[in-house]
Amino acid sequence: MLFVKIYRYFAHHKPFMWFVLVLSVLLMGFLSTKLSMQMDITSFLPESEDTQMVFNNLKVADRIVVMINTEDAETYELIDVAEQFKEKLWAASDSAHILSLSTTIDTEGYDNTVNFIYNNLPLYLEDKDYQALDSLLTAENCNEVMKENYSKLTSAMGVGVKKILLKDPLWIGSKTLLNLSKLNAYDNYTIFEDYLFSNDYKTLFVFLESADGANASDINEELTTSLESVIASLNSELSNIEITYFGTPAVAAYNVRQVYKDLILTITIALVTITLLISLVYRNKRTIILLIAPILYGFLFSLAFIYLVKGSISLIAIGLGSIILGVALSYSIHVLSHSFYSADTEKLIKELAYPLTVGSITTIGAFVGLTFTNSALLRDFGIFASTNILGTCIFCLIFLPHF
């Protein structure tokens, strides 16, 4: 029998057995460190062309909106803070991760629309508008309108209305512009010197777009960390201004942090619970180590295998891997429990090799079935779980009998 022959060979060549064991652990550990951990929050969704098209074209999902808020600061103070923020963020973060960082908005589209309307104004005027021209052109009305124009030019909205006043000081086309403004979904905002403010001028908006997309969570983590650092620095310097932000890339980065915490927590709880239960049953430190060693070997085996096959794995899939700890543990428990009642190791291997092999094949087959799904996350979990069981079984049948 194969496993008996391997046992006999290693039993007569103990140094070589230790060499193979240590070398395999070091090699798998090295390959595991090269494995790329992915944290795409959409990886659990079924893969299809339609799904990919939707997520790839949601450009708004790649943006972070930074809000510079105040209760009593002047408008130009907010503008100055916005420019400070822009300068510091470019200096603090990797520019390759930022596609765009805009403190101002492009008003060219608005100017082109206004020019088009006034170049074709007669086409947009209705019969009643022509009838009202006589009343608009009276001296009294002209004086009244020019007074209002003066008030507008000297107010905060002066920059915005200046271009229109030069084209239409009597506001003949105002009704047409008003009708267009009703189509505007952003009527809660106003533009001042190309900066976007809330209507009360207490919030200035800055727009940041990630170059890596919202789903590149591990990269967005770096960008979000830089963003938090710059905002914390400015908030500490400013007493009457507060900077906040929101956006999908930042949410994705927070998901990465939470998944890391949950991953450590779930695996720690699983290992501690298993260790406590084993210690209550066996009450032997050496036995506890021998029971857990195959699980750790299988863990390294699966990570090394995945690196060689595809080079990356979803971090969520590894977190789900805590589910298989109990399954993997049953193999080492099976071997050690029988060893207590059998002094003949070769006989032990003969008795256990077949049931362990068949049992592992059926379990592995169940997890391999997940690799045929359309979800990247489930495929990663299927590969991770099946190779973990395989590595654990190999350790139990080849190396564990020597201890």
Side-chain angles (χ1 to χ4, degrees):
M1 196 173 185
L2 176 61
F3 291 110
V4 175
K5 291 180 180 179
I6 295 175
Y7 171 77
R8 288 174 181 170
Y9 182 82
F10 279 159
H12 292 90
H13 301 84
K14 283 286 187 180
F16 183 68
M17 186 274 293
W18 279 105
F19 172 77
V20 172
L21 176 58
V22 173
L23 179 63
S24 63
V25 171
L26 292 177
L27 180 61
M28 292 187 300
F30 173 75
L31 294 177
S32 298
T33 60
K34 299 294 183 180
L35 185 63
S36 174
M37 302 293 181
Q38 302 295 323
M39 206 6 257
D40 184 354
I41 58 177
T42 64
S43 61
F44 66 92
L45 295 174
E47 291 180 342
S48 66
E49 292 184 3
D50 292 339
T51 303
Q52 293 300 319
M53 182 185 69
V54 170
F55 281 100
N56 291 336
N57 287 281
L58 280 176
K59 295 301 181 184
V60 68
D62 300 338
R63 294 177 183 172
I64 296 176
V65 179
V66 180
M67 296 167 290
I68 304 174
N69 309 290
T70 186
E71 289 296 332
D72 52 10
E74 297 293 332
T75 303
Y76 285 103
E77 287 185 62
L78 295 181
I79 293 176
D80 182 58
V81 172
E83 295 301 327
Q84 288 184 50
F85 167 80
K86 180 178 180 179
E87 182 180 345
K88 288 189 175 184
L89 185 60
W90 276 121
S93 59
D94 187 344
S95 59
H97 298 329
I98 301 177
L99 182 62
S100 65
L101 176 55
S102 305
T103 54
T104 58
I105 64 173
D106 183 10
T107 59
E108 183 179 353
Y110 173 77
D111 293 339
N112 291 337
T113 302
V114 172
N115 291 333
F116 180 83
I117 292 295
Y118 278 104
N119 290 336
N120 301 275
L121 186 59
L123 299 176
Y124 293 97
L125 295 178
E126 301 176 358
D127 292 340
K128 56 183 179 181
D129 295 324
Y130 286 104
Q131 296 171 5
L133 285 178
D134 290 340
S135 61
L136 291 175
L137 296 175
T138 61
E140 182 181 352
N141 182 72
C142 288
N143 289 332
E144 188 68 27
V145 171
M146 294 308 293
K147 288 180 182 179
E148 293 179 1
N149 289 343
Y150 177 78
S151 300
K152 292 175 181 178
L153 285 172
T154 55
S155 68
M157 62 183 299
V159 176
V161 301
K162 179 179 178 181
K163 296 179 181 179
I164 298 178
L165 287 177
L166 292 175
K167 295 178 180 294
D168 184 14
L170 295 179
W171 296 91
I172 295 174
S174 60
K175 183 178 179 181
T176 301
L177 295 177
L178 180 62
N179 290 335
L180 288 176
S181 68
K182 292 178 180 178
L183 302 176
N184 184 15
Y186 304 100
D187 54 358
N188 291 325
Y189 309 99
T190 188
I191 299 173
F192 176 73
E193 295 190 2
D194 292 341
Y195 291 88
L196 185 64
F197 285 85
S198 59
N199 279 339
D200 58 5
Y201 288 91
K202 291 185 178 181
T203 301
L204 187 154
F205 300 91
V206 177
F207 300 94
L208 166 65
E209 185 171 357
S210 170
D212 306 291
N215 296 331
S217 306
D218 47 347
I219 299 176
N220 285 326
E221 166 66 17
E222 300 176 16
L223 178 59
T224 303
T225 300
S226 301
L227 185 63
E228 290 174 335
S229 175
V230 171
I231 290 177
S233 173
L234 287 173
N235 282 338
S236 64
E237 297 173 4
L238 305 169
S239 58
N240 59 342
I241 295 177
E242 181 184 16
I243 304 176
T244 58
Y245 67 97
F246 70 90
T248 305
V251 172
Y254 291 134
N255 285 338
V256 171
R257 297 175 184 176
Q258 189 61 47
V259 167
Y260 271 118
K261 291 179 182 178
D262 293 344
L263 174 64
I264 294 173
L265 179 63
T266 54
I267 293 179
T268 300
I269 291 176
L271 287 175
V272 170
T273 303
I274 290 172
T275 303
L276 288 174
L277 291 174
I278 292 173
S279 61
L280 291 174
V281 174
Y282 292 97
R283 302 179 183 276
N284 187 305
K285 294 181 179 179
R286 179 176 177 276
T287 302
I288 295 174
I289 295 174
L290 292 179
L291 287 172
I292 296 177
I295 298 176
L296 299 179
Y297 189 90
F299 180 76
L300 291 177
F301 181 88
S302 62
L303 295 183
F305 179 86
I306 293 171
Y307 170 75
L308 294 174
V309 172
K310 58 193 299 279
S312 64
I313 186 174
S314 169
L315 194 63
I316 301 175
I318 296 180
L320 293 173
S322 60
I323 298 172
I324 65 171
L325 286 178
V327 178
L329 183 65
S330 64
Y331 291 95
S332 52
I333 291 177
H334 206 55
V335 174
L336 286 177
S337 297
H338 278 73
S339 67
F340 296 150
Y341 303 99
S342 177
D344 188 343
T345 305
E346 290 189 14
K347 181 181 178 182
L348 174 68
I349 295 174
K350 288 180 181 179
E351 293 176 350
L352 295 181
Y354 181 77
L356 284 182
T357 303
V358 173
S360 64
I361 290 175
T362 56
T363 306
I364 291 171
F367 287 118
V368 168
L370 295 175
T371 62
F372 297 98
T373 63
N374 289 327
S375 170
L377 174 60
L378 291 180
R379 288 199 301 270
D380 282 352
F381 176 64
I383 297 173
F384 175 74
S386 58
T387 52
N388 198 319
I389 296 296
L390 178 61
T392 301
C393 190
I394 290 174
F395 187 93
C396 288
L397 290 174
I398 293 178
F399 297 110
L400 190 58
H402 294 278
F403 296 94

